[in-house]
């Protein structure tokens, strides 16, 4: 196993280099203009806009730009944002705590809710609980976050006035009041995201649980008189977890890149809004930094998932 | 004592079923897998209800626009934002379009995009996942790294690039509407196969080590047959979930594509788009969001129940539940 | 009251920062006036250590001096009742685009001009009437006071005395000269350089006098050091950051200015927090002690937060659909502020053929459009645009139907034009032009079908406008295909992308445009027929004449207006240019757009102006009651 992990970690490096090349090329070829807003502004003539494009290196050949980026990245330098001239690492550090707090909490809640709901739904298939859970899950999944987010704002900010609709990462009030302000403003975005995540995860848990509880070894475990709880938690659940682990491992890196739409609706200054505005601005250093860290996390968590498969099902071998 | 026998019983039982199933498949010709499946499916009430709803929606979207007197692109500003009534059962939009007519017309596109994009994603994902999971080694490694790459791609610039590279070309080759449709389906499918691939691969890793596969090997069943007939059916349940969720996702993704200029021309209503366009009216013209939202929800829910029914029907272990 | 005295002591000893005071005072539940008194003490305390040499300004604080009369000849903001500096506490602003840089000259969008304005100031700004209001200047140059040379080739500005940068260094004419050198250096890549290229030299006559000499007579001299493009930069901080180094200056994120506020914290793409500048030249201003400018989100929710829930005091640029806005306002705690705008949403008609490719480019000058080069067809198009419906239903308070392309300043607006919606007349014109309905209802002539592509950027109001216009066109047999392009692509200057507005590879397209100067010569260049001004492959599609329309009469008027100094002749020229574009139906103006902002009902003295940043008058903003 250790050899397998080491080998995987070593192959991760060329993988990441290849990924970075592909992403860089896509970014370089994708159309767009950082100064589009000034397009028809007579005080900013087209020549000026073209000169600024050039000064950002947007007109250099792609291999030249890539080499520049690559040589600084191996020195651990993410470079400077074209737009704000801040070091990219500063920008990311400003966003990271908020992202981890809001998006991370939402994912955690989703996992904590989805697994028990999915399991109960499967064990009591077609019961009232299952039907309600299924319906709710599909409402959660059919309604995009732009919709639920807005619904929450209308209900809880406009009608009831319970929560603020604008998220502020700069709250520096001390004590309990500050803490409450920080929690209060995060409730809506966390709920919206958690709802969406829970919906999907519940379905996977339920389906794979259904698959396993009809397996013969589960029947055997029951037959030999083990309590239902033991059967479910010790025998069935463990085997049912493989798809669930896959889905969770796939979505954990997403915590880092944030949730673009939800962040936009509630004005949460997370990584998602940084990424999306960088994309809109052709701010290549920022996009590259975020996506490459994201890819590294993807590679890492897929490795973790592979290792976990082995733990969950000892028959799985990696040569 | 009983525990020990229990443990032994478990591995012993699996190959027994495997062989039995194999024998069953080979000898009893008249009762095919599919006729069995259909029989079971019919007994699954929710699945039948789901099928009926889907058929109704599909038929309504196909012939509905010909029967309903108001055209989907007709609007009358004097009739804007009317609540549901006899003349306009789903109300009207801010420009005075009849929402019912638009739901019918838009449903064609939304359902087609949802289903086909899902099929693209599922096919691609299953193929890649199966190959990677079954063969392992270098192939696995290469395919999974490809998956990692696709997961990492920033979709927005990629979509802009695709629009830029292919929109006019596709429109020139296939005409604006068909060209867009193919492009959208390929793009949505092509960007959503990765979870399926990982799911299928994970199941393959686990199932290919099971005894009944060993048994199949030992009686000389070919690789292709083992993959398709013996392992694949056992990976169906996560795939079916991914498929039903995929339909919903594709319907909604389609609406966001149009904001990148990649969707259908902006005057063509699709469910996702109607929902998005109406969101700011939610508080004072709720019918503008209610009906497209309901349409998506009903479709996805029905597809899910059909999926459930299919899975149960195709599961050899579960008879007449 | 013990606690209050304690707090006051702490302030006087200087052991507490102003912000800390505010927080503690608020925690004590002190009244606004008590807090203001504390802050005044605090300001005095913080001002003392850095006694600026030229600090002629009276020590700010305790006894508020009457507002120093601004020596403006033009209208000054209405004098507010004497108020104490910092009395207003926190002001919350909401911009749905987030600022990313705080140096106006490197701005990448109007949000950056806005977010730097509380700190950086121009010599003068422009009020809504289009009049110059002195900011760092002591008076506005004019022909009468000799500031503007008779031949129009130079302008001399007198600067205010005793102004200091927020770090205490005196502001002088050298800073103005420096700003010019900074902007004009090509390697600086200043966004604002366009207004400065016609300058011959900028000299400091003495510490408080600056003379700008132009290369030729320049009636548009107010484009220089005025408004958002004219913020003055501090030489002592930026002198090593001219040219290629410009982008690395820490100043860009934490500017030092002469304005009423200074930056406390800036998170690019999210929020700017400002504290008042104790060294601001007017001792009783600003009214607000702190400003939070939050960025991001979308316009509709910004409207909600400002006028429906009152979570913020002011929200910028509410480009929200008319009916939504109306509903929000009805329910609201805030108010809408509508400022007539300078720009017009219009349809541009391509004079060249977008379908035929000649030498690697389409829409090429010299390849006329098969039917749009016929005036009758263009007139028919104009008759098919139901402008009032579009304005009322889609724009509401944000626009009104118009028949002119030049809608500001008032003196240049033509009264000779009118518009009409008349599909019957349009059909008749098309028949006359020889385009008659074919078997499928689509008009045709010589085997060509009248099918047009109509493009614009992605924006809900624009898509609805497209739909309305398409419906009318199709009723008379002109088939329309709607195309929408992502805004950052559509407005891109990328020469390689065919979907940009400058390539104009479609038959008609739609967007908004308008002047940025009160002498709108920079805008009228849009129809100047000189070949260099026509976007094409040879100039990387960088001209301004997007329709590729050429008219000798127009060119003559334009070239004369460039150097005309006589106000009456100027009017004649601009009205003439407008009328030519309208008579020839080169563009179909649809909606004269207004600026819409949301504000708390008790927020006063905003003096929003169509010509400059919304925050230009921030020093005078007040909260009543």
């Amino acid at each position: 196993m250790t050899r397998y992990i080491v080998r995987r970690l070593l192959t991760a490096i060329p993988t990441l280099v290849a990924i970075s090349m592909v992403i860089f090329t896509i970014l370089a070829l994708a159309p767009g203009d950082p100064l589009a807003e000034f397009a028809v502004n007579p005080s900013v003539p087209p020549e000026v806009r073209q000169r600024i494009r050039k000064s950002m290196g947007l007109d250099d050949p792609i291999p030249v730009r890539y080499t520049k980026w690559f040589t600084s990245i191996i020195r651990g330098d993410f470079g400077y944002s074209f737009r704000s001239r801040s070091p990219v690492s500063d920008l990311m550090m400003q966003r990271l705590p908020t992202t981890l707090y809001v998006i991370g909490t939402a994912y955690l809640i989703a996992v904590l809710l989805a697994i028990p709901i999915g399991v109960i739904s499967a064990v009591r298939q077609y019961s009232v609980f299952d039907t309600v859970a299924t319906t709710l899950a599909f409402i959660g999944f059919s309604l995009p976050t732009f919709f639920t987010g807005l619904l929450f704002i209308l209900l809880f900010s406009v009608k009831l006035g319970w929560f603020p609709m604008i998220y502020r990462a700069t709250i520096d009030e001390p004590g309990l009041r500050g803490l409450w302000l920080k929690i209060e403003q995060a409730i809506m975005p966390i709920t919206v995201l958690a709802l969406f995540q829970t919906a999907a995860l519940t379905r996977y848990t339920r389906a794979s649980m259904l698959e396993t509880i009809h397996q013969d070894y589960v029947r055997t475990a029951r037959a030999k008189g083990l309590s239902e709880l033991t059967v479910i938690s010790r025998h069935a659940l463990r085997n049912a977890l493989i798809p669930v682990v896959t889905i969770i491992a796939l979505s954990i890196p997403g915590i880092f890149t944030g949730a673009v739409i939800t962040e936009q609706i509630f004005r949460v200054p997370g990584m998602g809004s940084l990424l999306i505005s960088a994309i809109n601005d052709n701010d290549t250093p920022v996009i590259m930094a975020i996506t490459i860290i994201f890819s590294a996390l993807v590679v890492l968590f897929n490795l973790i998932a592979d290792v976990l498969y082995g733990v969950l099902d000892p028959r799985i071998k990696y040569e | 004592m009983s525990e020990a026998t229990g443990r032994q019983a478990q591995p012993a039982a699996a190959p027994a079923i495997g062989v039995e199933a194999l024998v069953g498949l080979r000898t009893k010709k008249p009762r095919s897998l599919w006729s069995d499946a259909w029989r079971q499916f019919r007994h699954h009430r929710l699945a039948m209800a789901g099928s009926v709803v889907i058929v109704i929606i599909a038929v309504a979207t196909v012939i509905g626009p010909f029967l309903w007197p108001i055209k989907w692109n007709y609007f009358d500003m004097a009739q804007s934002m009317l609540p549901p009534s006899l003349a306009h059962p789903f109300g009207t939009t801010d420009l005075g379009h009849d929402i019912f007519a638009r739901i019918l017309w838009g449903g064609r596109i939304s359902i087609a995009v949802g289903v086909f994009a899902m099929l693209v994603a599922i096919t691609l994902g299953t193929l890649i996942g199966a190959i990677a999971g079954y063969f392992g080694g270098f192939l696995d490694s290469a395919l999974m790294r490809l998956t990692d790459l696709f997961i990492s791609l920033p979709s927005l610039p990629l979509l802009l690039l695709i629009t830029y590279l292919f929109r006019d070309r596709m429109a020139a080759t296939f005409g604006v509407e068909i060209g867009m449709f193919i492009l959208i389906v390929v793009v949505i499918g092509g960007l959503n196969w990765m979870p399926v691939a990982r799911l299928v691969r994970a199941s393959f890793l686990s199932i290919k080590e099971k005894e009944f596969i060993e048994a199949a090997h030992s009686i000389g069943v070919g690789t292709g047959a083992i993959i398709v007939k013996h392992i694949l059916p056992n990976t169906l349940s996560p795939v079916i979930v991914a498929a039903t969720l995929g339909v919903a996702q594709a319907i909604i993704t389609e609406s966001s594509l149009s904001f990148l200029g990649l969707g259908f021309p902006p005057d063509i209503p699709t469910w996702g788009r109607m929902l998005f366009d109406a969101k700011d009216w939610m508080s004072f013209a709720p019918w503008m969001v209610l009906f497209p939202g309901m349409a998506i929800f009903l479709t996805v829910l029905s597809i899910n129940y059909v999926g459930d029914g299919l899975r149960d029907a195709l599961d050899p272990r579960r008879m007449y539940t | 009251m013990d606690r209050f005295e304690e707090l006051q002591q702490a302030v006087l000893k200087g052991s507490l920062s102003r912000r800390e005071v505010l927080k503690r005072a608020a925690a004590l539940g002190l009244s606004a006036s008590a807090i203001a008194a504390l802050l005044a003490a605090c300001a005095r305390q913080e001002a003392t250590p850095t006694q600026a040499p030229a600090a002629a300004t009276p020590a700010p604080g305790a006894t508020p001096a009457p507002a120093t009369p601004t020596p403006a000849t033009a209208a000054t903001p209405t004098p507010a009742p004497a108020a104490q500096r910092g009395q207003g506490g926190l002001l919350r602003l909401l911009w749905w685009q987030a600022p990313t840089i705080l140096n106006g000259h490197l701005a990448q969008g109007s949000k950056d001009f806005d977010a730097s304005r509380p700190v950086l100031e121009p010599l003068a700004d422009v009020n809504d009437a289009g009049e110059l209001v002195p900011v760092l200047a002591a008076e506005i140059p004019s022909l009468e006071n000799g500031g503007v040379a008779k031949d129009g080739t130079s302008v001399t500005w007198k600067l205010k005395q005793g102004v200091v940068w927020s770090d205490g260094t005196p502001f002088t004419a050298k800073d103005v000269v420096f700003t010019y050198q900074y902007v004009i250096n090509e390697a600086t890549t200043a966004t604002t350089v366009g207004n400065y290229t016609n300058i011959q030299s900028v000299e400091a006559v003495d510490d408080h006098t600056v003379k700008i000499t132009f290369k030729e007579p320049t009636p548009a001299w107010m484009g220089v050091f005025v408004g958002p493009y004219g913020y003055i930069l501090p030489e002592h901080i930026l002198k090593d950051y001219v040219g290629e180094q410009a982008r690395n200056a820490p100043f860009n994120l934490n500017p030092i200015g002469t304005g009423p506020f200074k930056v406390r914290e800036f998170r690019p793409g999210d929020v700017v927090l400002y504290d008042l500048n104790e060294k601001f030249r007017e001792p009783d201003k600003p009214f607000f002690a702190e400003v939070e400018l939050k960025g991001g989100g979308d316009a509709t929710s910004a409207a909600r937060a400002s006028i429906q829930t009152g979570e913020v005091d002011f929200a910028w640029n509410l480009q929200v659909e008319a009916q939504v806005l109306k509903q929000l306002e009805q329910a609201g705690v805030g108010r809408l502020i509508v400022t007539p705008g300078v720009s017009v949403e219009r349809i541009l008609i391509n004079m060249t053929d977008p379908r035929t490719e000649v030498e690697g480019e389409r829409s090429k000058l010299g390849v006329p459009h098969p039917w749009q080069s016929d005036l009758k067809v263009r007139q028919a198009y104009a008759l098919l645009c139901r402008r009032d419906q579009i304005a009322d239903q889609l724009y509401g308070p944000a626009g009104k139907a118009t028949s002119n392309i030049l809608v500001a300043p008032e003196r240049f607006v033509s009264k000779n034009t009118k518009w009409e919606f008349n599909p019957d007349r349009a059909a008749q014109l098309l028949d006359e032009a020889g385009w008659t309905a074919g078997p499928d209802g689509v008009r045709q002539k010589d085997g060509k079908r009248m099918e047009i592509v109509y493009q614009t950027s992605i924006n809900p109001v624009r898509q609805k406008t497209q739909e309305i216009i398409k419906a009318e066109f199709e009723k008379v047999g002109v088939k329309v295909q709607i195309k929408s392009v992502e805004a950052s692509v559509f407005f891109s200057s990328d020469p390689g992308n065919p979907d940009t507005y400058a390539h104009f590879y479609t038959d008609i397209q739609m967007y908004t445009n308008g002047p940025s100067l009160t002498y709108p010569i920079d805008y009228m260049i849009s129809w100047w027929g000189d070949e260099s001004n026509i976007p094409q492959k040879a100039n990387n599609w960088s001209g301004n004449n997007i329709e590729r329309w050429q008219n000798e009469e127009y060119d003559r008027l334009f070239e004369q207006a460039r150097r005309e100094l006589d106000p009456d002749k100027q009017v004649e020229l601009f009205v003439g240019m407008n009328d030519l574009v309208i008579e020839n139906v080169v563009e179909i103006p649809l909606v004269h757009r207004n600026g819409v902002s949301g504000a708390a009902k008790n927020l006063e003295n905003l003096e929003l102006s169509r010509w400059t940043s919304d925050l230009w008058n921030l020093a005078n903003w007040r909260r009543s009651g």
Side-chain angles (χ1 to χ4, degrees), chain C residues 460-474:
Chain C
V461 174
R462 291 215 165 111
Q463 265 74 75
K464 283 174 188 165
T465 311
Q466 279 183 314
E467 204 172 338
I468 292 174
I469 286 177
K470 174 182 173 161
E472 297 300 342
F473 272 52
E474 297 208 326

Side-chain angles (χ1 to χ4, degrees), chain A residues 127-183:
Chain A
S127 66
V128 177
F129 181 91
D130 180 34
T131 316
V132 171
T134 302
T135 313
L136 284 181
F138 278 94
I139 292 179
F141 208 83
S142 306
L143 298 180
T145 46
F146 69 71
F147 183 87
T148 39
L150 196 61
L151 195 66
F152 276 44
I153 285 183
L154 287 174
L155 202 61
F156 297 112
S157 295
V158 177
K159 272 258 158 19
L160 299 169
W162 289 359
F163 308 121
M165 57 192 277
I166 297 173
Y167 189 99
R168 298 157 73 203
T170 45
I171 290 178
D172 57 356
E173 245 161 287
L176 279 176
R177 179 160 165 74
L179 186 68
W180 168 240
L181 285 177
K182 282 176 195 162
I183 294 174

Side-chain angles (χ1 to χ4, degrees), chain A residues 4-315:
Chain A
Y4 173 74
I5 295 176
V6 170
R7 209 181 61 214
R8 278 284 295 269
L9 286 177
L10 286 179
T11 50
I13 295 162
T15 309
L16 287 176
V17 173
I19 290 177
S20 73
M21 280 181 176
V22 174
I23 295 176
F24 201 94
T25 313
I26 290 173
L27 291 181
L29 294 177
D33 191 333
L35 291 172
E37 192 198 318
F38 289 132
V40 292
N41 184 331
S43 283
V44 187
E47 309 88 79
V48 174
R49 294 204 290 139
Q50 281 183 0
R51 199 186 302 153
I52 293 172
R53 269 184 72 89
K54 215 174 164 149
S55 79
M56 289 179 173
L58 292 180
D59 290 344
D60 290 345
I62 297 169
V64 174
R65 293 174 59 193
Y66 180 77
T67 318
K68 266 190 205 158
W69 177 81
F70 188 76
T71 45
S72 70
I73 204 83
I74 49 176
R75 279 183 272 121
D77 177 6
F78 285 114
Y80 283 80
S81 152
F82 285 158
R83 266 252 141 142
S84 72
R85 302 309 296 172
S86 295
V88 175
S89 44
D90 283 8
L91 289 177
M92 289 196 297
M93 286 318 291
Q94 279 172 1
R95 307 292 184 121
L96 198 58
T98 307
T99 307
L100 292 182
Y101 167 45
V102 176
I103 322 287
T105 312
Y107 272 71
L108 192 68
I109 290 176
V111 171
L112 292 181
L113 282 179
I115 294 183
I117 294 178
V119 169
I120 298 173
S121 271
V123 174
R124 306 254 176 279
Q125 198 188 5
Y126 303 130
S127 66
V128 177
F129 181 91
D130 180 34
T131 316
V132 171
T134 302
T135 313
L136 284 181
F138 278 94
I139 292 179
F141 208 83
S142 306
L143 298 180
T145 46
F146 69 71
F147 183 87
T148 39
L150 196 61
L151 195 66
F152 276 44
I153 285 183
L154 287 174
L155 202 61
F156 297 112
S157 295
V158 177
K159 272 258 158 19
L160 299 169
W162 289 359
F163 308 121
M165 57 192 277
I166 297 173
Y167 189 99
R168 298 157 73 203
T170 45
I171 290 178
D172 57 356
E173 245 161 287
L176 279 176
R177 179 160 165 74
L179 186 68
W180 168 240
L181 285 177
K182 282 176 195 162
I183 294 174
E184 185 194 29
Q185 63 177 354
I187 291 176
M188 288 198 293
I190 288 177
T191 313
V192 165
L193 276 176
L195 196 72
F196 193 73
Q197 295 297 335
T198 312
L201 206 51
T202 308
R203 300 310 298 164
Y204 283 107
T205 314
R206 176 182 179 275
S208 82
M209 210 43 207
L210 274 179
E211 188 79 354
T212 36
I213 51 177
H214 293 283
Q215 300 277 0
D216 310 292
Y217 66 87
V218 176
R219 206 174 294 162
T220 316
R222 270 206 197 96
K224 68 189 183 183
L226 293 178
S227 78
E228 187 67 14
L229 190 67
T230 320
V231 172
I232 298 299
S233 60
R234 301 260 323 264
H235 294 254
L237 185 57
R238 183 171 163 159
N239 280 278
L241 276 182
I242 285 184
V244 179
V245 163
T246 310
I247 294 298
I248 294 178
L250 275 173
S251 46
I252 287 179
I255 297 177
F256 171 77
T257 48
V260 173
I261 294 169
T262 313
E263 286 182 14
Q264 160 119 350
I265 292 173
F266 297 101
R267 297 184 164 78
V268 178
M271 211 62 99
S273 65
L274 180 64
L275 179 64
I276 198 78
S277 50
I279 287 173
N280 287 331
D281 301 346
N282 281 26
D283 201 339
T284 321
V286 177
I287 311 174
M288 282 309 292
I290 297 178
T291 46
I292 206 68
I293 294 177
F294 176 68
S295 332
L297 290 174
V298 167
V299 171
L300 178 70
F301 276 91
N302 281 344
L303 170 58
I304 292 176
D306 282 346
V307 173
L308 280 180
Y309 296 159
V311 175
L312 292 171
D313 184 347
R315 273 179 304 215

Side-chain angles (χ1 to χ4, degrees), chain C residues 10 32 60 111 148 202 211 227 237 275 311 500 540 623:
Chain C
K111 63 201 165 50
V148 179
V202 177
K211 185 178 179 200
I237 292 188
D275 286 327
E311 215 175 305
T500 72
N540 276 335
R623 202 191 321 258

